[in-house]
Amino acid sequence: MPRPSLLGSMEPLDALCQHFNVVKTSPASGIPLPRYLDMPVTRDAHMPSHALALYQSTTTSYIQPLIVPIDADMYNKGFRVDILPSSAPGSTSPVPYPHPNSGTLTVSLPIVPVSVPHIASIPLLLLFGLGLETQTNSLALHLLTPQVISEFPNSAEMAHEMSLLAEDEFQQRVKYNQGLWKNVLALGIKDSRIVELVQTAWNVTAEARRLRQFR
């Protein structure tokens, strides 16, 4: 039985943290990024193996990285592009422990800095690329409105419906869908269903943008 989707009730990063049983955490600002990051644990179950520190590849200014939990084995099964260091022979997965200061159950994760085309859409891509989320309709609803989706597979009507969105929402979706497609290409997700869905969403978005230029 497929696991229930968490995307209907929370943001992708929150869902990713819940799947890995950790609390969303940010590194301390104003100091160099440490080698390890302590993340509070919600329950002693499936733990992540690393914490990605995501940076925007297209910016030259320093921005606080977004911390994303990840499992190296799951990533390597779902993506073609290597971003995580190979585990040393005989190494074990991180194990939760009571933090010496607070007593809170904590896991210490090695931090891996990674530059990506679009930071905001990485948690959504990882949810599906790692196999934590499998319901592609949830993915589609993050990229397109229900009215646009209802016109599938007529791409021309989908683009027309999307071109009618209010300016602010339309520009947000252009930025997000384009960024997600760039991330798909940059990381080489293996699941062809996800590739095709994201490519369709971006093609519809790009055509809707073209249509709006003639109004």
Side-chain angles (χ1 to χ4, degrees), residues 74-146:
M74 295 172 71
Y75 176 85
N76 291 330
K77 289 178 183 176
F79 295 85
R80 294 185 178 87
V81 176
D82 294 334
I83 60 173
L84 295 168
S86 300
S87 299
S91 61
T92 59
S93 299
V95 177
Y97 65 96
H99 194 278
N101 294 332
S102 65
T104 301
L105 196 62
T106 302
V107 64
S108 186
L109 302 175
I111 295 180
V112 181
V114 179
S115 294
V116 294
H118 186 249
I119 293 174
S121 60
I122 285 290
L124 182 65
L125 181 61
L126 289 178
L127 282 170
F128 286 90
L130 301 180
L132 297 170
E133 293 282 343
T134 58
Q135 299 179 26
T136 53
N137 61 318
S138 297
L139 175 58
L141 286 168
H142 263 76
L143 308 180
L144 304 169
T145 66

Side-chain angles (χ1 to χ4, degrees), residues 191-209:
D191 190 333
S192 59
R193 299 174 311 139
I194 305 306
V195 175
E196 292 169 6
L197 193 158
V198 176
Q199 184 175 28
T200 296
W202 169 237
N203 288 345
V204 166
T205 305
E207 175 61 14
R209 182 173 59 180

Side-chain angles (χ1 to χ4, degrees), residues 155-204:
S155 58
E157 285 300 317
M158 292 175 72
H160 171 72
E161 282 293 332
M162 192 157 190
S163 72
L164 303 178
L165 294 177
E167 179 67 15
D168 286 349
E169 181 180 1
F170 182 76
Q171 294 302 330
Q172 289 174 3
R173 290 187 182 273
V174 167
K175 184 176 180 180
Y176 193 91
N177 293 354
Q178 183 180 43
L180 180 59
W181 177 237
K182 287 181 177 180
N183 285 336
V184 165
L185 297 177
L187 297 182
I189 187 171
K190 295 178 181 178
D191 190 333
S192 59
R193 299 174 311 139
I194 305 306
V195 175
E196 292 169 6
L197 193 158
V198 176
Q199 184 175 28
T200 296
W202 169 237
N203 288 345
V204 166

Side-chain angles (χ1 to χ4, degrees), residues 17-38:
C17 288
Q18 182 156 324
H19 276 297
F20 282 122
N21 305 295
V22 294
V23 176
K24 185 166 60 176
T25 307
S26 298
S29 59
I31 61 173
L33 197 66
R35 291 182 58 203
Y36 286 83
L37 180 70
D38 291 340

